[in-house]
Amino acid sequence: MTFTFIWDEKYSVGVAEIDEQHKKLVATIAKLNEAISKAKSIEKDVKSVLTELKQYVEVHFSTEEKYFKEFNYEFAEQHILEHREFAKKIESFYEKYAGNEVEISFELIDFLEDWLLDHMMTQDRKYMHCFAENGLK
């Protein structure tokens, strides 16, 4: 069973630009969760969510990685590898969807929930000190 996807300040990394991007991800996950729970227009919603996730990958990861480089973040290499894995996974979901495997919604929501809990709540928190130390708010 999934949990409710609502932005909570515990997700904040203390950087407004990144928090806004994370809020969009949480809203995208909530959209998919709602479509699953109401079993409404699931095919259309899955496509929309996948499109939003591909955009998220482009914008959000480049934002974080720009700051990693600018601030010489010590754990950048591992973090970027996780970004690449996420991007590959989203691409594989997109390919499954394009191949008429519409019933990927549960697999996708599980993946996104895990990403939110592990990556955002654990990995992203590791750069908070570095970013704050460099004056990023």
Side-chain angles (χ1 to χ4, degrees):
M1 180 168 179
T2 59
F3 59 89
T4 304
F5 296 95
I6 299 172
W7 177 259
D8 189 299
E9 283 305 309
K10 70 183 177 188
Y11 302 144
S12 176
V13 295
V15 177
E17 178 182 21
I18 293 172
D19 284 346
E20 285 305 311
Q21 293 169 355
H22 283 164
K23 286 177 186 178
K24 287 181 183 174
L25 176 62
V26 171
T28 299
I29 298 170
K31 177 180 178 178
L32 179 60
N33 191 50
E34 181 180 347
I36 290 170
S37 67
K38 293 184 178 176
K40 65 171 184 97
S41 63
I42 195 75
E43 184 175 338
K44 183 179 128 215
D45 287 333
V46 168
K47 183 176 183 181
S48 173
V49 164
L50 288 168
T51 300
E52 289 173 29
L53 289 170
K54 286 177 90 170
Q55 292 168 346
Y56 173 81
V57 163
E58 290 175 26
V59 173
H60 178 66
F61 292 169
S62 65
T63 299
E64 284 186 346
E65 292 170 19
K66 169 184 71 175
Y67 293 126
F68 293 166
K69 186 174 182 177
E70 185 177 333
F71 304 142
N72 197 28
Y73 176 56
E74 67 179 312
F75 301 112
E77 189 176 323
Q78 177 59 37
H79 203 113
I80 291 169
L81 283 175
E82 288 188 21
H83 286 174
R84 298 301 170 265
E85 288 301 313
F86 181 90
K88 277 195 251 180
K89 189 70 175 175
I90 294 304
E91 192 58 42
S92 77
F93 279 117
Y94 205 85
E95 288 169 9
K96 284 181 183 180
Y97 178 83
N100 293 320
E101 291 183 47
V102 180
E103 285 306 312
I104 63 167
S105 55
F106 290 106
E107 184 183 354
L108 179 58
I109 196 85
D110 286 344
F111 170 72
L112 293 172
E113 182 178 302
D114 290 346
W115 177 263
L116 179 73
L117 293 173
D118 179 52
H119 187 84
M120 272 180 52
M121 295 293 295
T122 305
Q123 301 307 318
D124 284 354
R125 301 195 81 63
K126 290 180 181 178
Y127 62 63
M128 288 175 66
H129 179 72
C130 173
F131 285 12
E133 201 173 63
N134 283 281
L136 194 60
K137 296 179 184 180

